Amino acid sequence: MASGSFRSIVASLNHRPALISSDRTAQPKGGMPIPPIRHWQAHLRASRPLRILLLIGGLSVAVLLAATVQYIDSMRDREMEGAERELSTLNLSLSEQTASATQSVDLVLTTIIEQLKSDGIDTPEEYVRRMGGRDTYQMLRARITGLPQLDAVTMIAADGHLINFSRYYPIPPVNVSDRDYFAYLRDHDTTAPFIGEPVQNRGNGSWTVYLARRISGPDGSFVGLVLGAIELSYFQRIYKALQPDGDGSISLWRRDGILLARHPVLPDIGRPLGQRHFLKVLESANSGVYFSSGGLNDGARLVATRALADYPLVVNVTRKLDAVLDKWRIQAWTIGAASAVGIAALLLSLWALARQFSAYEAATRAMDAARRAVEGREQAEHALRQSQKMEAIGQLTGGVAHDFNNLLQAIGINLHVIDSRTEDERIAGPARLALQAVERGATLTQHLLAFSRRQQLRPVPVDVATLVERTSRLLGRTLGQSVRVETEVAPGLWPAMIDPTQLEMAVLNLALNARDAMPGGGTLWILAGNRTVAGPAAGDLAIGGRLPGAGPLPVQVEGLAAGDYVVLRVRDTGTGMAAEVAARAFEPFFTTKEVGRGTGLGLSMVHGLATQSGGGVELDSRPGLGTTVTLYLPRAEQAADVPTAPPPPPPARARVAETAPVGAGCAILLVDDEELVRSATAGYLAQAGFAVREAADAAAALSLLDHGFRPDVIVTDHMMPGMTGLEMARTLRARQDETPILMVTGYAEDLTSTAAARDVSLTVLSKPIEPSRLVRSIRDMASVEG
């Protein structure tokens, strides 16, 4: 309104009426028509209510869109949760039926064994002599009656030959001492049943699995076996009747991952198939539901798995993810379409309302201008004062905008200088963020309107003795005077292949735990020595012996491979832990400290560091006797590098001068889909003297190369739309293009491994990277190529 009034005043002072029309275009006297966009811009500048109306409309559209997306996402979550519940319920029912069928067979075997014991048959000779007759055969025939899943019952002697067989009599001279169930039960005095590998009938092609139980004498000696043959087709018939819809599957597995039965039927019974993720799930729980990206013979599936309590069997129930989400997709499309219609209607209403509001304001301004024109000279002085005031405000606004733009320009230039003259990410990172704010501020003043990463271990040969000495000095100042720190390092200590920073953090974590366990003070020992471990026996290692100043080493360490290790032990004289607490000490987030004193991640971090580095960790703690944590660190094949003090950084001006010419004569192809990253990198490389050509993705880069551009080095991101950086590199190598490739990426999977880099002969650097290091890497690669 103020802007319209000011125009009217100025027009009246110049004896010319100002016309503001609500038409699509306005044509000043003697001038060109005003474009519609400028017409609306004038209205927006002049009308604060119109700006508020459009802002409210825009926020309403954003809220409606966000609510639609959130509702569709919550619908998907509910659909998945419902499917998980259904699969879990069906899986529980099938597991109970499978367990009941197996238990019925097992009951027949245990009844036979109990009958043998009551008859006084407790030696292999008595078992063979008394159980080989036709009456026993008739008894076995009677036992299997009414059990469709039980195909046959067999009595087996201690030497493996058959004593009696429910299928026919007399029995053939068969020996099964080579079967897995016989070898296992012969060598293990156990009362648990054993389920053997499935066997296929060569005549009819049916599959059978054997449930075997050991017959032991009073002294535990091996007397023989009793064996039940279970028809796996029985389970397939049950599973077929209870199959979840037409898109699901039900399968029975042995606990070691061998497929026993499945519906729909697969031809691969008796083999370990697929990725068998359920084995990992069952390591920590008796049952669970998980998502599998690839089934045995088709796409992604939702899988419910459950292990039988008394038998080494697992029942899995699955449904295709596409089928689970079919209903949700229809609902999502419906809701999305309704939301789109609603947003379109809202936008249309806003547009109509804005037009009406603009017309109303135009009419009001015209009426006000006419009124002021009639008043004439009586309001001339007031009009003049109003004109002078508005002119002053305009000049002030223009001056502020001009000065603000100057400030932004100065700030931007200095931030670029700071970014190019420092290698300290603590300074360069905020400078780059501030540069983005400068760019946004500049756009704001011109138009009145106008995103970072995984750490991975970096093992290097480490001088553990030096690290222990340095850490002990730090702990002496950190733990306080009530805790005495003592160290002892064996002479000739080997270097360890470990991440030094993470190892130092691990020792610090252990020391802080020890301090908390010694509230009244005590002694903390840090001991280091060499140890050669012999080959594992049944998964454990006998390593025995003592370290300098420490108690005896434990007899066994689970899972440790044979080889040379540097043993680092941290021991305290604190309160110690009960057995049930020590058993859970390495669990993430498990802590016995009060709230606010610990996260429960310290020991789990230590465990992860040791095991991921190829070593191991052991905890020995007893209440009142303190705690000892022993780390087994793999020995490094080469000596540890002696750390040297880095040279002092050159002054800022010198660094810029030094950087400027290093890339002279070197052409770079820079490929990155992030414009901010690409532009900043290109600017820095150009400042360093490189000739840089940019490409927003791999396709654009390949196009430049196809049109004759021959760079000295290709610098590329990895994760880009369309083709990744690694795929682009493979494409170039397939073309016999040997241009050096430097991949600068934040992608932290196997890309940085030696195997991935060797596959296409490239160098990998991880973001964020100091610009000076990037320049050095490019220069070195270009020099090697040249």
Side-chain angles (χ1 to χ4, degrees):
M1 183 70 72
S3 177
S5 300
F6 179 65
R7 290 185 186 179
S8 300
I9 294 169
V10 174
S12 65
L13 291 175
N14 290 303
H15 305 285
R16 291 184 300 177
L19 301 178
I20 302 179
S21 173
S22 61
D23 296 336
R24 292 180 58 87
T25 60
Q27 184 172 357
K29 184 177 180 181
M32 297 295 291
I34 300 176
I37 186 65
R38 294 185 58 188
H39 178 74
W40 279 102
Q41 286 176 347
H43 279 303
L44 285 174
R45 286 194 297 268
S47 176
R48 184 171 180 268
L50 184 58
R51 294 198 300 270
I52 294 175
L53 175 65
L54 294 180
L55 177 61
I56 293 174
L59 290 176
S60 300
V61 171
V63 169
L64 180 58
L65 185 61
T68 302
V69 172
Q70 183 178 3
Y71 183 69
I72 291 174
D73 189 58
S74 65
M75 287 175 54
R76 185 185 189 279
D77 292 341
R78 290 194 298 270
E79 197 73 25
M80 291 292 290
E81 290 171 0
E84 290 178 8
R85 287 193 299 269
E86 291 177 5
L87 286 181
S88 296
T89 302
L90 179 58
N91 183 245
L92 177 60
S93 175
L94 287 168
S95 299
E96 291 175 349
Q97 292 187 50
T98 302
S100 177
T102 307
Q103 193 174 25
S104 299
V105 176
D106 194 20
L107 183 60
V108 171
L109 304 185
T110 55
T111 302
I112 294 173
I113 294 175
E114 292 298 327
Q115 183 64 42
L116 294 176
K117 291 181 179 179
S118 64
D119 291 343
I121 300 175
D122 54 8
T123 65
E125 295 78 11
E126 281 289 303
Y127 185 36
V128 172
R129 184 177 64 83
R130 297 176 59 178
M131 292 292 105
R134 180 174 290 275
D135 56 339
T136 301
Y137 164 73
Q138 296 295 340
M139 181 270 290
L140 295 180
R141 294 284 297 175
R143 293 287 186 183
I144 66 174
T145 302
L147 295 178
Q149 73 273 27
L150 182 56
D151 179 60
V153 177
T154 308
M155 290 182 169
I156 302 173
D159 60 358
H161 74 268
L162 272 59
I163 300 174
N164 219 316
F165 189 29
S166 66
R167 191 172 294 166
Y168 40 81
Y169 186 87
I171 62 174
V174 177
N175 192 291
V176 296
S177 60
D178 59 337
R179 299 295 177 89
D180 59 339
Y181 54 81
F182 182 87
Y184 180 84
L185 293 177
R186 178 194 60 200
D187 299 336
H188 295 80
D189 185 9
T190 178
T191 59
F194 182 88
I195 294 181
E197 294 183 357
V199 177
Q200 187 175 24
N201 188 307
R202 296 181 180 178
N204 56 21
S206 63
W207 284 89
T208 302
V209 68
Y210 294 105
L211 177 66
R213 276 193 172 271
R214 174 187 170 108
I215 304 173
S216 301
D219 58 351
S221 60
F222 180 55
V223 174
L225 302 179
V226 59
L227 185 71
I230 303 175
E231 281 285 353
L232 293 178
S233 60
Y234 171 80
F235 296 112
Q236 292 187 172
R237 290 192 297 272
I238 295 177
Y239 297 162
K240 182 179 180 180
L242 297 175
Q243 181 185 6
D245 300 330
D247 62 322
S249 71
I250 304 173
S251 55
L252 178 64
W253 304 74
R254 208 167 70 163
R255 190 61 186 260
D256 59 357
I258 293 179
L259 181 63
L260 300 180
R262 186 183 187 272
H263 184 81
V265 180
L266 286 179
D268 297 314
I269 302 298
R271 294 196 304 163
L273 301 178
Q275 299 175 340
R276 296 171 292 166
H277 292 302
F278 67 89
L279 296 178
K280 294 183 179 179
V281 174
L282 296 177
E283 289 178 359
S284 57
N286 190 49
S287 63
V289 180
Y290 66 94
F291 170 75
S292 175
S293 59
L296 293 180
N297 58 353
D298 46 25
R301 285 181 175 267
L302 199 62
V303 182
T305 184
R306 181 175 293 272
L308 272 61
D310 300 320
Y311 304 98
L313 297 174
V314 178
V315 177
N316 288 348
V317 182
T318 76
R319 281 195 67 190
K320 290 182 181 178
L321 187 63
D322 287 342
V324 170
L325 296 178
D326 270 346
K327 182 179 178 182
W328 168 81
R329 289 192 182 96
I330 296 173
Q331 293 175 336
W333 277 107
T334 303
I335 294 173
S339 177
V341 171
I343 290 174
L346 178 59
L347 291 175
L348 183 61
S349 300
L350 285 172
W351 177 75
L353 185 59
R355 283 180 59 86
Q356 289 293 104
F357 192 82
S358 175
Y360 170 77
E361 284 200 329
T364 302
R365 285 194 295 268
M367 293 176 61
D368 187 59
R371 180 181 56 82
R372 284 193 299 269
V374 172
E375 292 176 353
R377 293 186 60 89
E378 293 180 2
Q379 298 184 356
E381 293 181 0
H382 174 73
L384 180 59
R385 288 194 299 269
Q386 183 73 5
S387 173
Q388 290 171 343
K389 183 177 72 172
M390 297 303 296
E391 182 180 359
I393 292 175
Q395 291 174 352
L396 178 62
T397 303
V400 169
H402 179 266
D403 291 343
F404 190 54
N405 274 329
N406 286 337
L407 289 173
L408 289 177
Q409 180 68 17
I411 292 170
I413 291 174
N414 282 285
L415 286 173
H416 276 294
V417 172
I418 291 172
D419 186 29
S420 64
R421 293 184 179 180
T422 181
E423 296 179 0
D424 189 345
E425 187 62 23
R426 294 171 298 179
I427 299 174
R432 288 193 292 271
L433 293 176
L435 279 170
Q436 296 183 30
V438 169
E439 293 171 0
R440 293 186 180 181
T443 304
L444 180 63
T445 58
Q446 293 170 6
H447 299 284
L448 298 179
L449 197 58
F451 186 92
S452 82
R453 174 176 132 84
R454 187 187 278 153
Q455 175 181 342
Q456 58 189 122
L457 295 180
R458 303 183 183 277
V460 296
V462 174
D463 186 349
V464 178
T466 302
L467 185 142
V468 168
E469 179 183 358
R470 183 174 66 250
T471 305
S472 64
R473 289 199 301 267
L474 173 63
L475 294 176
R477 298 188 297 267
T478 303
L479 302 182
Q481 297 180 352
S482 62
V483 178
R484 187 173 73 242
V485 180
E486 295 189 5
T487 63
E488 187 171 352
V489 177
L493 188 68
W494 298 325
M497 196 68 181
I498 196 76
D499 186 317
T501 302
Q502 295 299 320
L503 179 59
E504 197 163 351
M505 290 180 62
V507 175
L508 180 60
N509 267 321
L510 294 175
L512 294 177
N513 282 348
R515 179 200 62 187
D516 294 342
M518 299 184 293
T523 303
L524 174 71
W525 285 283
I526 303 177
L527 313 165
N530 299 329
R531 179 68 59 194
T532 298
V533 176
D540 297 331
L541 296 168
I543 59 178
R546 303 173 65 92
L547 285 176
L553 278 169
V555 175
Q556 292 179 330
V557 176
E558 296 185 2
L560 197 62
D564 293 337
Y565 294 89
V566 177
V567 180
L568 182 61
R569 173 172 295 170
V570 179
R571 178 184 178 192
D572 64 60
T573 58
T575 55
M577 292 179 277
E580 59 271 16
V581 176
R584 301 185 58 192
F586 291 124
E587 294 181 7
F589 304 108
F590 176 77
T591 179
T592 58
K593 300 178 182 178
E594 59 269 23
V595 176
R597 292 292 304 277
T599 63
L601 292 174
L603 283 178
S604 63
M605 183 275 288
V606 173
H607 181 274
L609 170 65
T611 54
Q612 187 179 348
S613 300
V617 61
E618 183 192 45
L619 174 69
D620 182 15
S621 184
R622 299 178 186 179
L625 298 179
T627 300
T628 302
V629 179
T630 306
L631 301 178
Y632 298 87
L633 312 177
R635 177 183 179 180
E637 296 298 328
Q638 61 189 52
D641 294 333
V642 178
T644 58
R653 296 178 179 271
R655 180 158 51 245
V656 172
E658 174 191 335
T659 305
V662 296
C666 182
I668 303 298
L669 174 56
L670 179 61
V671 190
D672 200 309
D673 63 306
E674 287 288 346
E675 184 177 358
L676 286 176
V677 176
R678 189 177 69 248
S679 299
T681 305
Y684 190 89
L685 293 177
Q687 177 179 312
F690 294 98
V692 184
R693 293 194 67 174
E694 303 179 37
D697 51 36
L702 293 175
S703 177
L704 285 174
L705 296 173
D706 290 340
H707 285 80
F709 179 54
R710 292 294 177 264
D712 296 296
V713 178
I714 298 175
V715 181
T716 180
D717 189 15
H718 174 58
M719 296 303 294
M720 296 183 293
M723 181 184 294
T724 67
L726 186 57
E727 291 171 343
M728 181 186 73
R730 286 174 174 156
T731 301
L732 292 175
R733 294 300 181 250
R735 298 179 179 182
Q736 307 302 318
D737 188 334
E738 300 300 327
T739 303
I741 299 176
L742 175 61
M743 186 169 292
V744 184
T745 177
Y747 185 69
E749 296 294 332
D750 293 337
L751 191 61
T752 56
S753 68
T754 304
R758 186 169 54 241
D759 183 26
V760 291
S761 183
L762 53 82
T763 301
V764 180
L765 296 178
S766 297
K767 293 178 181 176
I769 180 174
E770 297 178 2
S772 59
R773 184 184 175 194
L774 177 62
V775 169
R776 288 197 304 271
S777 299
I778 296 174
R779 181 185 59 198
D780 293 344
M781 294 177 68
S783 298
V784 170
E785 178 67 13

